[in-house]
Amino acid sequence: MHTWRRRQHPNPDWLMKWLSILPQQCILLMTCLLMALEAVPIDIDKTKVKGEGHVEGEKVENPDTGLYYDEYLRQVIDVLETDKHFREKLQTADIEEIKSGKLSRELDLVSHHVRTRLDELKRQEVARLRMLIKAKMDSVQDTGIDHQALLKQFEHLNHQNPDTFEPKDLDMLIKAATSDLENYDKTRHEEFKKYEMMKEHERREYLKTLDEEKRQREESKFEEMKKKHGDHPKVHHPGSKDQLKEVWEEADGLDPNEFDPKTFFKLHDVNNDGFLDEQELEALFTKELEKVYDPKNEEDDMVEMEEERLRMREHVMNEVDINKDRLVTLEEFLRATEKKEFLEPDSWETLDQQQLFTEDELKEFESHISQQEDELRKKAEDLQKQKEELQRQHDQLQAQKQELQQVVKQMEQKKLQQGNPPAGPAGELKLQPPGEHKVGDTPKHPAGGDQPLPPGHVQEPAARTDQVHP
């Protein structure tokens, strides 16, 4: 069974609310930490709705955007939100003013405290990027790093001015976040396709290791699991009346005969901001996905379930989101319920009914995998050679050390035999300081006693026994 942990889609509804003007003079919300607007009250008997609803006034945590500059983005918007003038300009701005950079020029009019805080945030972000660049370069043991050139790859700030936050920085931040988030779904689809090709590649490689009998058993088991996975109840077309009514009845616990699109919208606008964002839409497809995927079943892959959820959400957005701001307003939602597709939709094909990749694509993928494996193998061989060379040098140094120690030891023994003072630990001679004598070397008294000589007395030489007297 495949292990799975749901990877949360960044879905920055707060960013999209900043990048688009809301109809009927709704407040334009900014990127990250914006306060949700309260929706118009409607008559709903909350006691009939299953589960716990959103608590009024409760702070809704915005999900991580998945951008590598997510924290910087959030902090900038948080600071801008504290300036009354800038917030008022947002309420009257339109989407073109925001994307063209006209709104960014309003930054010159914000308070000194706000600008100072933005300057500080930018300096921290530049320092963080430089630290990441240095760590990356150090990891490959590169030298002569051109930090200024490397900073050009970061398009969410003006790297030529690392000290102050200017209108150009805000403009670049808006454009970078918009572009990156628009490409997010495409990147996820590409990653999923690689995931599926890797699964098939590993399966085929495993089959090559088996004998004919075991290989046939594995092939039969694989086909059986595919058939079992495909045997599931009918999946309603995402966003159709049948699909929404099923949520209304089974998830909300309401009478299907009393289905009302406007009430449905208000119920599933979890944070009461007047929109169905991407995550709120994805939550509507849970009942449909449970028909196909069960984490307890070996044949059901939860990674595929999240890809199916993404496909459903994209389909509904394409059908309902008229202005393509990645948010569904009540007006857009109600207009979609008037279409023929809402009442009589086409059948929905799940992933198991589609070809996810061709044989040519798989061969190209396997060729790329083989090339990567060859490169890793070569690197491993080079590392092994380096390890062996270091070990050889280490052994050589150890042998030289032992030889030197043996030579020093022999020299000390030779000096002792010749009566020379022994050498110290570093080879120095252990000489006796002048005036010092070893115990027992004190000169004897002239009379042969053991008393020391008086000061100034010079001992006379002893008489020779062989001297002839006249």
Side-chain angles (χ1 to χ4, degrees), residues 27 102 159 196 221 223 247 267 332 361 428 464:
I27 295 179
K102 183 177 179 180
H159 59 85
E196 287 294 319
K221 180 182 178 182
E223 293 298 326
V247 175
L267 275 174
E332 289 173 329
E361 288 175 327
E428 72 276 9
R464 294 177 54 184

Side-chain angles (χ1 to χ4, degrees), residues 410-422:
Q410 291 175 355
M411 291 176 62
E412 289 181 348
Q413 291 176 350
K414 186 175 181 181
K415 289 177 180 179
L416 289 173
Q417 292 173 357
Q418 295 176 350
N420 294 330

Side-chain angles (χ1 to χ4, degrees), residues 305-337:
M305 185 184 79
E306 290 308 309
E307 175 69 10
E308 192 76 75
R309 190 192 303 271
L310 173 59
R311 289 178 63 243
M312 290 180 172
R313 187 256 298 161
E314 285 182 324
H315 173 75
V316 172
M317 277 294 187
N318 290 333
E319 295 290 322
V320 181
D321 182 21
I322 299 174
N323 62 358
K324 305 304 177 184
D325 63 353
R326 301 168 74 100
L327 298 165
V328 177
T329 65
L330 176 60
E331 181 183 358
E332 289 173 329
F333 184 77
L334 294 178
R335 188 177 298 180
T337 62

Side-chain angles (χ1 to χ4, degrees), residues 432-443:
Q432 206 166 350
E436 288 190 8
H437 299 277
K438 292 184 179 179
V439 177
D441 290 345
T442 304

